[in-house]
Amino acid sequence: MLNDADYLRFGRQILLANWGEQGQQQLADKCVAIFGLGGLGVPALVNLAGAGVGRLRLIDADTVSLSNLPRQWLYRPEQQGMAKVQAAKAWALAHNPALQVEAMVAMAEESAMAALLQRVDLVLDCTDNLEARHCINRHCVALGLPLVTAAAVGWQGQLQLVDGQGPCFACFSPVNDQATPRSCREAGVAGPVLTSVAGMQALIAIRRLLGLSVPGDRVQRFDAQTLSWRSFDLERVPHCPVCGEPQ
């Protein structure tokens, strides 16, 4: 049940059509797992915690470094060497002590996924590793968990909602694709691109948790050079090894 403090804290969004008191309570009852607490995961976490998602499971094996600070702005210089999930948990609880926050120093690996996804309502993939993204996609499809997967490098970013039986991330980025995408370490990245894409990622997650419609058959791309968003229809690949029909 919402209390007086909740109405004061969340009043501006409770006023929204299709949100209201019921929607705020729905968010409080949900659990979101965030894989990766880097350039995408930090602004996504800030948005979800700010919106009042009641349970947050933070998953990352990395530690805070000086090179993170321009983009991952909830970390502080004195937290260098600290596990990102621990630093992020400390921020979230300082922001709202009523939240339930789990900090899990782990990676998206096959052997760990069953435990990492227990009692989760929705997943955000904020990782920067293609193998991890495919692993998260496989398990979310198998469990029927809605997944919002995103990536950003250079001046561009993209995101996709994987919901239901497809299309999934493997329909867009085939598992056996031999091309190796460039990483931020190689190509660099503009911090506001990450913030823009992660903000949209969090918005899609919130709408999905509220039971509002979100298209699950398209990829959205942001180009910071032209300051434009483009949306591409995506069809399920019939023989996709993850969500397609068995061959």
Side-chain angles (χ1 to χ4, degrees):
M1 295 287 293
L2 301 181
N3 56 38
D4 291 345
D6 292 327
Y7 286 103
L8 287 172
R9 179 183 285 267
F10 302 116
R12 300 297 188 275
Q13 58 199 42
I14 288 175
L15 289 171
L16 291 171
N18 301 321
W19 195 309
E21 297 177 16
Q22 181 179 347
Q24 194 61 51
Q25 186 61 59
Q26 284 178 221
L27 293 182
D29 294 337
K30 299 297 185 181
C31 178
V32 173
I34 304 177
F35 283 87
L37 270 296
L40 290 169
V42 161
L45 167 63
V46 169
N47 278 281
L48 294 180
V53 175
R55 291 179 291 145
L56 297 164
R57 182 171 296 168
L58 313 180
I59 305 161
D60 198 315
D62 200 7
T63 58
V64 178
S65 69
L66 188 62
S67 65
N68 299 148
L69 302 186
R71 303 169 306 282
Q72 302 167 33
W73 19 259
L74 62 79
Y75 304 133
R76 304 188 305 274
E78 63 268 26
Q79 291 177 317
Q80 291 180 70
M82 185 177 183
K84 285 184 176 181
V85 291
Q86 294 293 350
K89 177 180 178 178
W91 175 88
L93 292 179
H95 172 77
N96 184 354
L99 299 175
Q100 298 179 45
V101 185
E102 297 174 84
M104 307 185 78
V105 180
M107 299 177 66
E109 297 176 328
E110 292 290 340
S111 59
M113 292 300 290
L116 295 176
L117 295 177
Q118 278 188 344
R119 299 183 300 278
V120 167
D121 297 295
L122 183 142
V123 177
L124 294 191
D125 176 7
C126 300
T127 64
D128 58 2
N129 179 286
L130 190 58
E131 185 177 346
R133 297 178 73 191
H134 279 297
C135 179
I136 295 167
N137 178 70
R138 280 195 303 275
H139 284 268
C140 286
V141 171
L143 293 171
L145 281 175
L147 163 68
V148 191
T149 179
V153 66
W155 292 95
Q156 296 184 327
Q158 67 188 35
L159 70 159
Q160 174 191 358
L161 169 64
V162 178
D163 202 359
Q165 298 302 309
C168 74
F169 177 69
C171 293
F172 173 69
S173 176
V175 176
N176 58 0
D177 190 349
Q178 298 300 310
T180 303
R182 292 191 301 169
S183 69
C184 295
R185 286 188 178 90
E186 299 166 322
V189 66
V193 173
L194 292 157
T195 307
S196 299
V197 174
M200 182 67 78
Q201 191 178 17
L203 178 59
I204 291 173
I206 289 169
R207 286 187 60 85
R208 181 62 177 73
L209 292 172
L210 290 172
L212 303 178
S213 62
V214 185
D217 58 352
R218 65 186 58 173
V219 172
Q220 298 187 62
R221 281 188 171 172
F222 177 60
D223 186 345
Q225 300 277 37
T226 59
L227 301 179
S228 61
W229 283 92
R230 297 182 66 188
S231 180
F232 300 89
D233 291 338
L234 181 65
E235 293 186 358
R236 178 176 157 208
V237 176
H239 299 302
C240 171
V242 177
C243 70
E245 297 295 334
Q247 296 188 51

